[in-house]
Amino acid sequence: MLKLRCSSSTTANGIQTVAAGRTIVDVWTDLFSTSHIFANTIKDKKYFANIFKKQILGKKIVSVRRRAKNILIELSGGTTFLIHMKMTGHVMYGRYEYNKKQNVWTPVKGQTSLEDPFNRFIHLVFTLDNGFHLVLCDMRKFAKVTLVDETLKKELEDMGIDPFDAAFDTKIFTEKISRFPNTVIKTALMDQRLVVGIGNIYSDEILHAAGVLPYRKVSELSTQELKEIHKHIQPILRQGIDFGGDSMSDYRNIYGEQGKFQGKHKAYRRTGLPCTKKGCPGKIERKVLNARSAHFCPVCQK
């Protein structure tokens, strides 16, 4: 059910397109929790009212970028806040209205894509100076939203290399992935300490394209196999971005529309279906690895 963060790239690009230069004039949420694990996030009611809200109101959105699975929204005055959409979150842009009696936000009529049933779980609303809203839809309320302080900034900096970084060559990739020789390659690809932004769907697609079984340990892979995996990372992630993310489950783009990458899957969730590689007689199988589903062809993946 987890969605890979080509959706983060798509969302960050979308917010940049529609909201850069706009000023935040109000913010609302109902994500509150009394659990101590949510301290220093907007789920802490005091943090939201006394720190978060005061830091962002009246600030202009300067730029939006992605770091791994985190969307970083930089505001005027040097403030930055983070949105991690977790399992079922997505950010949308449009005109919304608040029903105070029911304590819910709904899109103003006529915005068809925003009226998709998957888009009804609105739990965070930023009102912009043009009358439009940025909203977080999150069915399971797992999303994290917080200001970026020095501690969090260092954590972000210490994460793995981004696949779209100019320095992400075969040598760097091999060095990073080889840090965990006894880890299966699918799990290593998704480890944000090594390479950021690769999740469940795209790890399956990358390994299928590279012809490598997901359950092989990193130490078992040859130099050529690691080179082949590296070769497919950028193109497949770029394809995910070009097709607007993956809406196999709940993800929607900034306008509430489905992405289209789910129509391009070669392995993910194709259990029992014929392998799409030319001349391959195999069928896609599924195996659970470290509590995550791996989809692969046992014939053309070695």
Side-chain angles (χ1 to χ4, degrees), residues 191-261:
D191 194 320
Q192 303 299 299
R193 296 170 295 177
L194 304 177
V195 181
V196 302
I198 300 175
N200 204 34
I201 298 171
Y202 294 90
S203 59
D204 280 352
E205 296 301 306
I206 290 164
L207 291 172
H208 181 265
V212 175
L213 288 167
Y215 52 80
R216 290 178 62 194
K217 291 182 178 180
V218 171
S219 60
E220 299 172 351
L221 302 178
S222 67
T223 300
Q224 182 56 41
E225 286 173 322
L226 289 172
K227 184 177 181 180
E228 191 70 13
I229 293 170
H230 173 266
K231 183 180 80 173
H232 290 285
I233 292 175
Q234 278 195 12
I236 288 176
L237 294 181
R238 177 60 64 189
Q239 187 182 35
I241 294 170
D242 290 345
F243 281 94
D246 194 297
S247 295
M248 178 63 84
S249 58
D250 58 283
Y251 173 71
R252 299 295 185 269
N253 69 16
I254 198 75
Y255 302 108
E257 302 163 338
Q258 292 189 38
K260 297 179 180 179
F261 186 72

Side-chain angles (χ1 to χ4, degrees), residues 57-173:
L57 290 188
K59 301 288 181 64
K60 183 178 293 186
I61 296 174
V62 176
S63 64
V64 186
R65 61 188 175 91
R66 175 191 63 83
R67 176 62 172 150
K69 300 176 181 181
N70 304 286
I71 297 168
L72 300 173
I73 301 179
E74 299 175 358
L75 306 177
S76 55
T79 299
T80 299
F81 70 93
L82 170 154
I83 299 176
H84 191 308
M85 299 185 291
K86 301 289 184 177
M87 292 179 71
T88 59
H90 53 276
V91 176
M92 298 178 294
Y93 175 81
R95 290 186 181 273
Y96 284 77
E97 51 192 4
Y98 179 59
N99 184 318
K100 187 174 182 179
K101 185 176 181 179
Q102 297 181 5
N103 194 36
V104 296
W105 289 79
T106 55
V108 173
K109 295 296 183 183
Q111 301 170 103
T112 306
S113 58
L114 296 180
E115 295 169 6
D116 181 322
F118 279 102
N119 295 334
R120 70 184 185 276
F121 306 101
I122 306 302
H123 296 295
L124 175 63
V125 178
F126 297 95
T127 302
L128 306 179
D129 61 348
N130 61 351
F132 281 73
H133 303 87
L134 279 177
V135 305
L136 173 67
C137 175
D138 187 11
M139 179 174 64
R140 299 183 71 175
K141 299 184 180 181
F142 286 168
K144 176 182 179 179
V145 183
T146 187
L147 295 170
V148 176
D149 58 16
E150 289 303 313
T151 300
L152 184 51
K153 183 178 180 181
K154 188 176 186 308
E155 289 178 8
L156 293 169
E157 291 173 348
D158 288 344
M159 296 179 78
I161 189 168
D162 192 293
F164 294 109
D165 192 306
F168 186 67
D169 57 17
T170 303
K171 180 181 178 182
I172 291 294
F173 170 69

